[in-house]
Amino acid sequence: ETVLTQSPATLSVSPGERATLSCRASQSVSSNLAWYQQKPGQAPRLLIYDASTRATGIPARFSGSGSGTEFTLTISSLQSEDFAVYYCHQYNKWPPWTFGQGTKVEIK
Amino acid sequence: QVQLQESGPGLVRPSGTLSLTCAVSGDSISSHNWWSWVRQPPGKGLEWIGEISQSGNTNYNPSLKSRVTISVDDSKNQFSLKLTSVAATDTAVYYCARRDPAFPFENWGQGTPVTVSS
């Protein structure tokens, strides 16, 4: 099983500031890494796939980078609607498909 | 626009069977996609349960494989989850999701909460 470890668990950021979230895989997942945003009471929403490609309708302030075992999600200038929990997900090797434990981005 | 909607009992007795259905609209269940179930215990992260293809091929999480069955009903354009011998640790919000081959989960249902309790 490919274990994904996200850091930090919680990130406190002021609106307008930059947020950088990390995801480390226990083995290479190539570029088969996605990022999701989840708000309370809602389903996850796909933000980034193939490590760096924004999904349809996702604002340009969201960007992803990395390959192999180290990945980063950057939110360039946090808006009020961006405070949420973010999960990384690998779809390179199954079973099983796996998710990170999440990073909560909260208002500082 | 693809839409998925979960349905099923919100309360299941311990040792019983959890049964959920996901109704699909805006896409054919017979299309070249994978149809999955993912769950999220209260306050915790996401756990992939398993998936089924249009041809009926299934993949299951090894940690749940002995208790899980996913099936498709082409006539109703829906797919289903059965989880047997449930315990309190199976209490979670259950989501159905769709993905293209070699692609992550793009479309999700709104989720349905299931509590395992006597």
Side-chain angles (χ1 to χ4, degrees):
Chain A
E1 173 174 332
T2 302
V3 177
L4 300 179
T5 303
Q6 292 187 239
S7 61
T10 303
L11 187 61
S12 298
V13 186
S14 299
E17 289 189 339
R18 182 186 193 91
T20 302
L21 291 66
S22 295
C23 177
R24 174 175 292 178
S26 60
Q27 59 186 302
S28 176
V29 298
S30 186
S31 295
N32 297 314
L33 193 287
W35 291 93
Y36 294 88
Q37 176 193 69
Q38 188 179 34
K39 297 179 180 179
Q42 296 185 17
R45 178 175 71 143
L46 179 65
L47 299 176
I48 301 286
Y49 63 93
D50 292 350
S52 60
T53 303
R54 279 189 301 277
T56 303
I58 301 303
R61 64 180 181 273
F62 291 92
S63 62
S65 63
S67 65
T69 61
E70 300 282 345
F71 300 88
T72 300
L73 174 69
T74 301
I75 312 171
S76 60
S77 177
L78 271 158
Q79 306 298 301
S80 57
E81 62 267 29
D82 300 335
F83 292 96
V85 179
Y86 293 82
Y87 294 95
C88 58
H89 158 59
Q90 69 82 19
Y91 49 101
N92 183 68
K93 191 170 184 179
W94 58 264
W97 305 124
T98 52
F99 296 87
Q101 82 280 18
T103 290
K104 181 179 181 180
V105 177
E106 64 177 24
I107 300 175
K108 186 174 182 181
Chain B
Q1 180 180 355
V2 180
Q3 292 188 318
L4 297 91
Q5 179 66 60
E6 306 90 348
S7 62
L11 179 65
V12 183
R13 304 301 184 193
S15 77
T17 296
L18 181 160
S19 297
L20 297 175
T21 296
C22 181
V24 179
S25 59
D27 191 10
S28 169
I29 200 80
S30 300
S31 64
H32 190 53
N33 290 306
W34 286 86
W35 307 94
S36 286
W37 290 95
V38 177
R39 69 180 183 179
Q40 186 170 36
K44 296 188 177 181
L46 300 162
E47 180 182 33
W48 175 74
I49 299 170
E51 62 187 4
I52 189 166
S53 72
Q54 86 286 358
S55 59
N57 293 324
T58 53
N59 300 315
Y60 296 132
N61 191 322
S63 68
L64 298 168
K65 187 174 183 178
S66 63
R67 300 193 290 132
V68 173
T69 302
I70 297 175
S71 59
V72 164
D73 186 338
D74 291 345
S75 66
K76 295 183 178 179
N77 213 44
Q78 64 186 31
F79 62 107
S80 299
L81 168 71
K82 288 191 186 300
L83 181 66
T84 61
S85 304
V86 297
T89 51
D90 295 309
T91 294
V93 174
Y94 285 75
Y95 295 99
C96 58
R98 166 190 171 274
R99 70 175 185 90
D100 291 328
F103 201 77
F105 307 108
E106 183 172 16
N107 305 104
W108 296 70
Q110 65 184 24
T112 188
V114 177
T115 300
V116 178
S117 175
S118 56

